[in-house]
Amino acid sequence: MAAAAVQLTAPIQFIKGVGPARSKALEQLGIETVEDLLYYFPRRHLDRTLITACRDLNKGSTVTIVGEVKSCGIKTFKRGKLFQVLLEDATGYITLTWFNGVKYIQNSVKTGDYLAVHGKVEYYRGFQIVHPEFDKLEDDAERLSTGSVIPLYPLNQTLRKASLEHRSLRRFIRDIQSKINIIDDFYSDKFRNTHGIIDRKEALTAIHFAEDVDQLKAAINRLKFDEHFFLQLGVATKKNNIDKIGTNPLPKTGDYAKAIYSQLDFDLTSAQKKVIQEIANDIKKPVMMNRLLQGDVGSGKTIVAILTVALAVDNAVQVAVMAPTEILAEQHFLVFKKFMDEAQIPTALLVGNLNANDRQKVLRGLKNGKIKVVIGTHALIQQDVEFQKLGLVIVDEQHRFGVLQRGDLVNKGQNPHFLAMTATPIPRTLSITYYGDMDLSIIDELPKDRIPVTTTVVQPERLNKVYDFVKEEIKAGRQCMIVYPLVEESEKSDLAAAVETHEYLSDKVFPDLQVGLMHGRMKREEKDAVMNSFIKNEINILIATTVIEVGIDVPNTTVMIIEHAERFGLTQLHQLRGRVGRSDKKSYCILVERNITENSAQRLKIMESTNDGFKIADEDLKLRGPGVFFGIQQSGFFKFKIADLLTDGKIIRAACKAAFEIISDDPKLEKPENLAIKQHFNQHYHHVLKGSNIG
Ligand code: ADP
Ligand code: MG
């Protein structure tokens, strides 16, 4: 019936029978149009053929169970409280146990509720699941659906108040969907066939009302593809735009670069040479370089940066080098300055707590062009910092900066060439998505005299043995670092622990040695003094909070002891470990496990088993999710409805290829077969391009 036909863009509130309460509840979730509603995807699907009956439970298996809450309540035991639920189905019962978050669970589960729970079956005075995932059903699953797949929606108080729960929401969606006349696809048949994805209407139907699991899988695949594809369209467009930004070409290799090259007391690795060539090729073109240099800790990125700086200065432009912490900026400054002085390139340091006079001097030098190279922190992107002719920006430890700051420094010049460096190997699926607009250079080789670091996990009881070993290493002229975690929530006690250890070790354990202490609360001069003594080997053992996490280079250090290792992520541990093994001497990393936390044993084992940063990054991604790599949540870069960076590797690669192909063939999406794609992008994904549209 034509009269009942509803368009995708129709506002929900005007649809007959919806009512103000519901439309208001939906609006609060950002659901305003019919299309929005269809894109309100189930959080999970319950496959009825995969529900396990309580009588068939086995210890150790991971199951989904549907049943009714017979009783529930809080139990107090020696070390705290727990909340338990007795869940019963037609064949038996199981206990559900929550140790923490008791309040929240307690408020949401009550006797008589139907739950679908998912988790690993354990045995403790009967079968139980600890901390199961769970969904509340309105009813016994048997009566919930005719198909075998039951959608479970993300529900909240607002929806419940508007009487929208799993079943009613599903009925509501069904009802509205039946009124829609057409759901157009934005892909052509040819495109769908090429990429093996189903039609949009089919997908939007099956995601809510799949008859079987195969249908559901095809729907999920298509909808995930969409999200990755449109995100990649944005990335490809960005890359395409950047590749066209005109700027000063820097074609000359002159005396500065030669002078520095001749100072090196080692041969560059072939990976370093290759990367320098890639950079030189980029900057000699009259378009902006936008390159990410990835190289594991200790692979020698700094010297690549130094040679790149010299190339730029050979072409009469200024260079800014930005580091995430003052300590690192200062250390870079020392290293850079040594080379720059030889080549007579005026170089300055700009960090936050420079005194006003010194700061003014640097600012003047940058503005009038007398200073060629400036090394600094966030202080470089402050308003009053002006350059005469900024031609190259290098950012070290890129992953520590937000996206915003990277842009800020680039904006200071007339489109300076841009080189980012990172020692955090980023899993491929992530770099496609988050650095897809950059060209990638990889140093996949360590200087050849390196011996792999040996990593050992120890319990605190064995520390005395470890200290004996440290004494031997120091007798042989080497140095040692002891790192303490420092996190905001427990900053005070963390700091206290580091201070206490310093006292204990210098008085009791190493009375004949110099034990230094460095932490974030110290003044810059104090930190400098300690660091310099350590560099000069006047301090044998340096105790530090994680301020040394990035970049520090004291090759004579051969022992790294990481305290409370269980509190660090793998990527961080790998970074810390990278502070040793930086010379031709054998090095050791000791991970002290003080407490057993969630999968800590597993994590520390991984550290013992490999030195490969990429493997470690992949494991970290699996264990902790993508947020660990760049604080993605914070930057709010992109929020997926159904896609998942962790598990969609194959789809991501396919979507990425498809998007880059389309953009290279039709950059503005003007061809007739691409118009619908463009429209959908501009409607829903324009924020990927920071608010601007394709076209
Ligand atoms: P990262 O990539 O972690 O920043 P660095 O640039 O700090 O590593 O280099 C680590 C150490 O290796 C430094 O002491 C540096 O001087 C040295 N180094 C760099 N390249 C080579 C090379 N080709 N041969 C020998 N040593 C090198
Ligand atoms: Mg470095």
Side-chain angles (χ1 to χ4, degrees):
M1 259 199 318
V6 160
Q7 304 240 321
L8 275 186
T9 49
I12 293 268
Q13 66 178 122
F14 297 135
I15 291 179
K16 225 176 122 204
V18 171
R22 280 191 168 177
S23 64
K24 200 155 172 223
L26 293 170
E27 200 184 302
Q28 279 184 22
L29 291 171
I31 303 171
E32 292 176 8
T33 66
V34 168
E35 186 172 15
D36 294 339
L37 182 66
L38 293 186
Y39 277 89
Y40 196 68
F41 298 143
R43 181 162 57 112
R44 242 201 302 275
H45 289 83
L46 198 57
D47 179 355
R48 195 163 23 187
T49 60
L50 294 181
I51 293 174
T52 305
C54 283
R55 70 161 166 248
D56 298 330
L57 294 176
N58 281 315
K59 189 181 154 198
S61 57
T62 298
V63 297
T64 303
I65 302 170
V66 173
E68 186 182 348
V69 177
K70 276 293 155 191
S71 64
C72 57
I74 294 180
K75 273 196 185 153
T76 313
F77 69 117
K78 280 200 296 297
R79 282 163 39 221
K81 283 180 181 168
L82 50 80
F83 181 67
Q84 284 192 317
V85 166
L86 190 69
L87 192 77
E88 187 182 62
D89 72 3
T91 68
Y93 61 87
I94 185 168
T95 307
L96 313 174
T97 301
W98 283 269
F99 286 103
N100 305 312
V102 169
K103 249 241 167 72
Y104 153 72
I105 306 286
Q106 186 194 344
N107 288 339
S108 58
V109 175
K110 57 184 190 310
T111 306
D113 281 350
Y114 283 94
L115 303 183
V117 301
H118 181 81
K120 192 168 161 189
V121 179
E122 295 172 18
Y123 196 88
Y124 178 76
R125 299 177 180 163
F127 287 122
Q128 71 162 341
I129 302 180
V130 177
H131 293 198
E133 291 175 36
F134 76 100
D135 285 281
K136 247 160 80 166
L137 310 175
E138 293 127 278
D139 211 331
D140 188 312
E142 251 64 48
R143 281 184 280 151
L144 225 161
S145 151
T146 50
S148 74
V149 181
I150 301 157
L152 299 173
Y153 291 90
L155 296 177
N156 62 13
Q157 255 349 86
T158 317
L159 285 177
R160 291 207 169 93
K161 272 197 195 126
S163 330
L164 289 172
E165 306 215 18
H166 297 304
R167 187 171 45 154
S168 41
L169 187 59
R170 187 165 186 253
R171 203 185 286 143
F172 181 62
I173 294 174
R174 169 73 100 193
D175 195 43
I176 289 198
Q177 204 195 31
S178 69
K179 297 188 174 132
I180 302 171
N181 51 355
I182 349 174
I183 299 180
D184 276 330
D185 204 340
F186 26 76
Y187 304 138
S188 64
D189 292 349
K190 185 168 159 247
F191 184 94
R192 276 200 307 274
N193 286 336
T194 311
H195 298 289
I197 49 178
I198 62 171
D199 172 75
R200 183 180 179 216
K201 178 170 182 187
E202 237 179 290
L204 285 177
T205 307
I207 195 73
H208 301 287
F209 315 109
E211 288 299 325
D212 58 45
V213 175
D214 287 341
Q215 217 181 47
L216 176 64
K217 275 191 184 150
I220 291 175
N221 184 59
R222 154 75 203 235
L223 295 169
K224 280 177 181 251
F225 182 93
D226 284 356
E227 286 196 299
H228 291 302
F229 174 75
F230 281 99
L231 179 57
Q232 289 300 323
L233 268 189
V235 173
T237 301
K238 237 194 228 167
K239 174 137 191 17
N240 195 47
N241 292 341
I242 291 171
D243 287 352
K244 283 192 302 228
I245 297 177
T247 191
N248 233 326
L250 309 174
K252 213 167 88 187
T253 304
D255 295 340
Y256 290 129
K258 284 177 196 153
I260 287 184
Y261 197 81
S262 66
Q263 276 180 66
L264 295 181
D265 51 12
F266 48 73
D267 292 330
L268 294 177
T269 61
S270 42
Q272 284 171 319
K273 284 184 195 154
K274 179 194 73 189
V275 167
I276 290 168
Q277 199 54 54
E278 285 167 349
I279 293 169
N281 280 343
D282 271 4
I283 61 178
K284 75 177 181 211
K285 293 182 197 143
V287 290
M288 191 182 133
M289 168 170 76
N290 189 35
R291 188 167 279 280
L292 177 68
L293 169 54
Q294 265 191 47
D296 212 340
V297 273
S299 62
K301 295 182 292 297
T302 310
I303 195 65
V304 171
I306 288 172
L307 286 164
T308 306
V309 168
L311 277 179
V313 179
D314 271 333
N315 290 274
V317 293
Q318 291 169 295
V319 183
V321 180
M322 193 157 135
T325 65
E326 288 203 355
I327 293 199
L328 187 57
E330 284 158 18
Q331 210 202 353
H332 268 335
F333 178 66
L334 292 179
V335 175
F336 274 65
K337 195 157 166 39
K338 188 180 131 243
F339 285 97
M340 299 301 151
D341 282 353
E342 293 279 331
Q344 298 187 327
I345 300 174
T347 300
L349 174 71
L350 187 62
V351 287
N353 48 12
L354 232 49
N355 72 44
N357 244 341
D358 291 345
R359 185 176 151 79
Q360 279 314 315
K361 243 176 34 208
V362 176
L363 292 191
R364 264 201 310 278
L366 290 174
K367 198 169 172 186
N368 67 25
K370 289 216 172 96
I371 296 175
K372 295 296 175 203
V373 180
V374 64
I375 294 164
T377 53
H378 299 86
L380 283 176
I381 55 177
Q382 265 147 32
Q383 279 258 313
D384 55 350
V385 182
E386 291 173 61
F387 292 85
Q388 189 208 31
K389 194 175 185 190
L390 181 62
L392 169 69
V393 171
I394 298 180
V395 169
D396 195 16
E397 309 294 346
Q398 152 79 26
H399 57 283
R400 302 290 299 257
F401 290 97
V403 176
L404 210 151
Q405 292 145 338
R406 156 176 134 191
D408 281 355
L409 190 49
V410 170
N411 288 340
K412 292 239 171 239
Q414 294 84 33
N415 304 327
H417 293 286
F418 183 71
L419 176 68
M421 308 200 288
T422 178
T424 303
I426 299 154
R428 187 75 191 119
T429 53
L430 285 190
S431 67
I432 287 178
T433 307
Y434 290 95
Y435 291 120
D437 57 334
M438 303 185 84
D439 291 303
L440 192 62
S441 282
I442 296 182
I443 304 186
D444 52 5
E445 156 184 36
L446 296 180
K448 59 176 176 304
D449 52 7
R450 297 296 152 79
I451 309 170
V453 179
T454 297
T455 302
T456 315
V457 179
V458 303
Q459 316 301 320
E461 300 81 64
R462 276 188 52 205
L463 269 176
N464 282 331
K465 285 231 166 70
V466 172
Y467 292 149
D468 286 344
F469 175 69
V470 168
K471 281 179 197 158
E472 279 169 39
E473 284 289 300
I474 289 171
K475 216 183 265 166
R478 322 265 191 263
Q479 287 163 278
C480 167
M481 277 188 204
I482 303 178
V483 174
Y484 268 82
L486 188 61
V487 288
E488 252 168 72
E489 307 94 69
S490 52
E491 191 182 323
K492 260 206 175 127
S493 53
D494 285 342
L495 199 56
V499 171
E500 213 172 276
T501 306
H502 176 244
E503 265 170 35
Y504 169 71
L505 291 184
S506 46
D507 292 352
K508 302 265 151 49
V509 185
F510 305 109
D512 308 328
L513 300 176
Q514 291 306 314
V515 184
L517 174 68
M518 186 163 83
H519 57 76
R521 285 287 181 81
M522 285 161 56
K523 289 210 191 77
R524 190 165 71 85
E525 297 81 45
E526 294 171 319
K527 281 191 268 185
D528 278 357
V530 174
M531 198 63 218
N532 283 328
S533 314
F534 190 62
I535 290 172
K536 290 190 206 137
N537 199 1
E538 292 161 2
I539 287 178
N540 308 105
I541 301 170
L542 178 63
I543 298 173
T545 53
T546 39
V547 288
I548 63 160
E549 183 186 333
V550 285
I552 301 292
D553 184 36
V554 181
N556 191 45
T557 316
T558 55
V559 186
M560 162 69 68
I561 300 174
I562 304 177
E563 275 286 353
H564 292 281
E566 74 281 353
R567 284 172 54 185
F568 293 93
L570 288 179
T571 312
Q572 256 180 319
L573 288 175
H574 183 61
Q575 289 281 322
L576 288 170
R577 177 168 63 184
R579 300 306 115 215
V580 294
R582 298 171 84 83
S583 68
D584 55 358
K585 292 158 211 124
K586 173 76 188 162
S587 294
Y588 305 85
C589 176
I590 317 277
L591 304 174
V592 185
E593 186 183 21
R594 296 249 169 206
N595 291 302
I596 294 176
T597 61
E598 204 189 340
N599 60 41
S600 60
Q602 187 192 352
R603 264 183 297 146
L604 299 183
K605 255 214 181 71
I606 294 169
M607 293 302 296
E608 279 184 323
S609 72
T610 182
N611 280 314
D612 180 335
F614 273 96
K615 258 194 210 146
I616 288 170
D618 271 337
E619 294 293 338
D620 220 11
L621 178 66
K622 275 189 219 142
L623 288 168
R624 293 194 302 159
V628 304
F629 290 92
F630 349 74
I632 289 169
Q633 286 95 341
Q634 272 161 273
S635 69
F637 185 83
F638 199 79
K639 211 162 171 245
F640 293 116
K641 280 187 161 59
I642 190 167
D644 182 353
L645 287 172
L646 216 59
T647 50
D648 296 346
K650 214 171 131 199
I651 305 177
I652 293 175
R653 282 186 290 273
C656 174
K657 189 159 166 275
F660 274 75
E661 273 167 15
I662 281 207
I663 291 297
S664 101
D665 171 61
D666 182 15
K668 298 211 156 150
L669 301 178
E670 288 160 332
K671 295 190 175 173
E673 69 269 28
N674 294 334
L675 286 178
I677 291 178
K678 173 169 166 172
Q679 197 192 358
H680 189 77
F681 180 93
N682 286 342
Q683 224 166 34
H684 297 283
Y685 291 81
H686 63 99
H687 56 285
V688 178
L689 289 179
K690 288 233 174 83
S692 53
N693 292 342
I694 294 181

